[in-house]
Amino acid sequence: ARHEFTASGGYFVSDLYSATYIAGAAYTYHMTEETAVELSFAYTHQDADTIRAIEGGRGTVLEDEFARTLFAESILLWSPIYGKFRVGGNIMRFDLHFDVGVGVVDSPTSRGASGIAGLGFKVFLGQPLALRIDLRDRVYQQELLDEAFIVNDLAVTAGLSLFLPLRN
C-alpha cells in the first residue's frame, strides 16, 4: 500500500460560464499496483462573461462576478497500462489511469451531487515524485436564468505528486 499526495492546477471549461482556472489537492490510497481510491478537493470560480452577454437587460443573475465553486470528490482509479520509456540516458516509468467517482458541488448556481469520469497520465520522477496530468468530466445540475441544466464541465490539470513511503 502506498499513499499519494497531489497539488494541481489547470484549466476549467464550463458549459454555462467562461473558461477559467482550477486548483486542487488530492490524497490517493493505492490498494494495489492497479487500483486506488482518491479523495480530492478543487476550487474554481464562475466567470460570468457569457451570462452577462445572454442576460442583455434582464437584470443581474450573478451578483458576485467572482463566485467561487468548490468540488469535493471520491474517485476510484484503475491503472491497467504502465511501462517504461527512455529519455536521454534515463529510464522513466509511467502509468495511464481511468477514473470514475461521485462528488459534491457547492456554488451559487449548484449545490448537490455530481458524477465524475476521466483519465490521467503519471510520469514518475524517481522514487517519491511523479508528474501527473488529468482530464476529468464533472456532470451535475446547474440553475441559471430560472432554468435547470445538466452540465458537463471539463477540467485538465497538471500536478506534482509525492508518494509515501519514500521507497517502493
Side-chain angles (χ1 to χ4, degrees), residues 31 37 62 72 78 81-83 92 94 97 109 118 145 149 153 164:
M31 301 169 290
V37 290
L62 287 179
W78 177 50
I81 301 170
Y82 51 93
M92 307 286 284
F94 72 90
H97 58 87
T109 60
L145 301 174
F149 301 91
D153 291 351
L164 297 175

Side-chain angles (χ1 to χ4, degrees), residues 136-148:
R136 292 205 171 138
D137 181 19
R138 293 173 173 92
V139 178
Y140 56 97
Q141 181 175 323
Q142 274 189 322
E143 291 185 24
L144 193 59
L145 301 174
D146 295 326
E147 285 189 56

Side-chain angles (χ1 to χ4, degrees), residues 33-168:
E33 287 291 322
E34 293 181 351
T35 58
V37 290
E38 180 174 284
L39 178 61
S40 64
F41 299 93
Y43 170 87
T44 188
H45 73 95
Q46 297 176 345
D47 188 351
D49 291 342
T50 306
I51 299 310
R52 281 187 281 284
I54 294 170
E55 285 177 332
R58 290 192 259 180
T60 303
V61 172
L62 287 179
E63 295 168 8
D64 184 359
E65 293 183 11
F66 198 82
R68 67 149 177 77
T69 300
L70 300 173
F71 298 101
E73 301 163 337
S74 177
I75 299 168
L76 177 63
L77 282 74
W78 177 50
S79 304
I81 301 170
Y82 51 93
K84 299 177 185 178
F85 61 94
R86 180 180 298 273
V87 176
N90 297 325
I91 302 288
M92 307 286 284
R93 295 184 308 122
F94 72 90
D95 76 25
L96 177 69
H97 58 87
F98 299 96
D99 315 335
V100 64
V102 294
V104 176
V105 181
D106 181 23
S107 75
T109 60
S110 182
R111 282 192 177 80
S114 67
I116 301 106
L119 58 97
F121 182 75
K122 287 182 205 160
V123 175
F124 295 89
L125 309 171
Q127 293 283 342
L129 297 175
L131 175 63
R132 180 171 169 171
I133 298 171
D134 288 286
L135 173 65
R136 292 205 171 138
D137 181 19
R138 293 173 173 92
V139 178
Y140 56 97
Q141 181 175 323
Q142 274 189 322
E143 291 185 24
L144 193 59
L145 301 174
D146 295 326
E147 285 189 56
F149 301 91
I150 299 295
V151 295
N152 285 285
D153 291 351
L154 295 174
V156 62
T157 58
L160 189 63
S161 291
L162 171 68
F163 289 85
L164 297 175
L166 297 176
R167 60 180 176 20
N168 275 339

